[in-house]
């Protein structure tokens, strides 16, 4: 599916395991109404809903697993399923092969949201505690090269550029670029949390045990600190705290949240 379109412009991008050892992304956009191609859009998995809900977001997807379908109804998630929309709203890009080629645009999503009478504003605070002053993790460990092995088939890496104070992102040993622009995907902030994952059906679909306190790291500006990631319910916002129990301040900029298996041999150097 690489490269994806729009990923370099997402405010927050979550990455989690699905079946077969691969991962999927959920990109959260605060305001990008002019993205003409966004994707590839794949089918919903139920634990992604937890993070759509905590961001008070409209959740766009293309199909769903049985549990995701049930939970969308039970949790009353404002969602848009591209399979049920017109071919002009969600379409197949013929330069890719299915199922890796379903795309949409933010303009189309907002049109459908208006039709469905979904709210397009929120009164919730940001999940992340962004601050204006630059956050320097002075007591943190050096974090210039990060490796996150999700499975035998997918390893994510980041390398730090001291001049730009950004991390360049790699997946499957390839530098990630944006399908729309060709620009390199970069992050200001990286949050890693460790959650138990288990298979729930014969297809190998996963469950992630994330409604609890998870261990993790906050990484920015070449340093990393250990954190706790507290989520009290599927709808409650995750609170990211340092080991003294204080909510962490987060640098303004693009953030990747890597929710990885408990046994992932993450290295930070």
């Amino acid at each position: 599916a690489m490269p994806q379109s729009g990923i370099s412009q997402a405010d927050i991008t979550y990455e989690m395991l699905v079946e077969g050892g691969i991962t999927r992304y959920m990109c959260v956009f605060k305001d990008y109404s002019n993205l003409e191609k966004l994707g590839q859009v794949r089918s919903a998995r139920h634990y992604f809903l937890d993070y759509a809900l905590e961001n008070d977001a409209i959740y766009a997807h293309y199909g769903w697993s049985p549990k995701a379908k049930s939970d969308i109804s039970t949790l009353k998630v404002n969602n848009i399923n591209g399979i049920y929309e017109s071919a002009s709203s969600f379409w197949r890009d013929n330069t890719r092969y299915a199922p890796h080629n379903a795309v949409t645009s933010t303009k189309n999503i907002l049109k459908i949201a208006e039709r469905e009478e979904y709210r397009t504003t929120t009164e919730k605070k940001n999940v992340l505690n962004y601050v204006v002053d630059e956050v320097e993790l002075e007591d943190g460990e050096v974090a210039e090269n990060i490796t996150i092995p999700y499975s035998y088939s997918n390893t994510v890496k980041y390398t730090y550029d001291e001049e730009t104070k950004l991390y360049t992102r790699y997946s499957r040993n390839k530098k990630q670029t944006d399908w729309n622009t060709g620009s390199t995907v970069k992050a200001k902030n990286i949050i890693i949390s460790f959650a138990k994952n288990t298979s729930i059906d014969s297809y190998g679909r996963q469950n992630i045990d994330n409604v609890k306190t998870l261990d993790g790291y906050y990484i920015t500006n070449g340093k990393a600190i250990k954190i706790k990631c507290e989520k009290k319910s599927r709808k409650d916002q995750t609170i990211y705290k340092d080991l003294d129990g204080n909510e962490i301040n987060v640098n303004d900029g693009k953030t990747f949240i890597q929710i990885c298996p408990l046994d992932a041999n993450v290295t930070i150097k």
Side-chain angles (χ1 to χ4, degrees):
M2 292 171 65
Q4 292 84 13
S5 56
I7 190 170
S8 66
Q9 292 162 288
D11 294 285
I12 302 174
T13 302
Y14 295 83
E15 184 172 19
M16 289 177 274
L17 272 176
V18 294
E19 55 273 19
I22 63 171
T23 59
R24 285 188 183 168
Y25 304 114
M26 185 181 78
C27 296
V28 182
F29 299 91
K30 184 176 181 179
D31 180 25
Y32 284 99
S33 55
N34 60 344
L35 280 175
E36 295 180 359
K37 185 168 69 175
L38 183 63
Q40 302 77 4
V41 189
R42 299 301 304 274
S43 54
R45 295 294 179 269
H46 66 279
Y47 40 90
F48 283 78
L49 304 176
D50 304 1
Y51 299 99
L53 286 165
E54 72 173 30
N55 283 282
D56 200 16
I58 298 166
Y59 182 59
H61 55 101
Y62 200 86
W64 41 27
S65 68
K67 182 156 180 55
K69 179 180 180 182
S70 172
D71 286 1
I72 283 172
S73 175
T74 301
L75 296 168
K76 297 179 170 55
V77 179
N78 286 352
N79 80 106
I80 295 170
N81 187 349
I83 279 182
Y84 299 135
E85 299 297 333
S86 71
S88 61
S89 294
F90 284 75
W91 67 96
R92 296 282 185 184
D93 187 302
N94 61 16
T95 64
R96 300 285 185 90
Y97 60 88
H100 308 288
N101 62 351
V103 294
T104 186
S105 70
T106 44
K107 183 179 179 181
N108 290 345
I109 288 172
L110 290 169
K111 272 187 182 177
I112 296 166
E114 183 179 6
R115 183 196 72 202
E116 296 296 321
E117 299 184 345
Y118 291 155
R119 287 183 298 105
T120 54
T121 59
T122 183
E123 303 205 353
K124 273 193 176 183
K125 69 181 184 69
N126 287 324
V127 170
L128 298 175
N129 186 34
Y130 292 111
V131 293
V132 176
D133 294 333
E134 193 77 2
V135 177
E136 302 287 357
L137 305 176
E138 294 175 357
D139 296 328
E141 62 182 290
V142 173
E144 296 178 350
N145 294 281
I146 298 99
T147 302
I148 308 168
Y150 274 92
S151 68
Y152 68 91
S153 65
N154 187 32
T155 296
V156 172
K157 295 181 180 180
Y158 291 92
T159 60
Y160 182 62
D161 184 327
E162 192 171 351
E163 188 173 326
T164 64
K165 292 192 170 186
L166 298 175
Y167 288 87
T168 298
R169 197 171 195 280
Y170 297 79
S171 182
R172 298 175 179 241
N173 294 316
K174 292 182 180 179
K175 182 186 289 187
Q176 283 196 266
T177 57
D178 191 294
W179 190 12
N180 287 341
T181 64
S183 60
T184 301
V185 178
K186 296 180 182 290
K188 180 66 174 178
N189 308 294
I190 305 161
I191 292 174
I192 300 172
S193 63
F194 298 90
K196 182 180 179 182
N197 63 293
T198 52
S199 179
I200 60 171
D201 61 24
S202 60
Y203 292 95
R205 294 189 183 100
Q206 300 290 298
N207 183 65
I208 291 181
D209 186 15
N210 61 335
V211 181
K212 60 194 314 181
T213 299
L214 305 176
D215 292 326
Y217 291 94
Y218 171 49
I219 302 169
T220 193
N221 287 355
K223 293 288 187 74
I225 60 169
K226 291 183 177 180
I227 61 171
K228 299 289 184 180
C229 314
E230 299 179 358
K231 188 169 175 63
K232 293 182 178 179
S233 78
R234 297 186 70 182
K235 291 185 177 182
D236 279 340
Q237 292 185 324
T238 304
I239 302 174
Y240 299 95
K241 297 181 178 181
D242 62 26
L243 297 189
D244 293 324
N246 303 307
E247 185 174 5
I248 62 171
N249 293 330
V250 175
N251 275 318
D252 187 25
K254 310 302 184 188
T255 301
F256 276 79
I257 298 179
Q258 310 284 162
I259 302 171
C260 60
L262 286 176
D263 59 356
N265 185 25
V266 171
T267 60
I268 300 173
K269 297 180 181 178

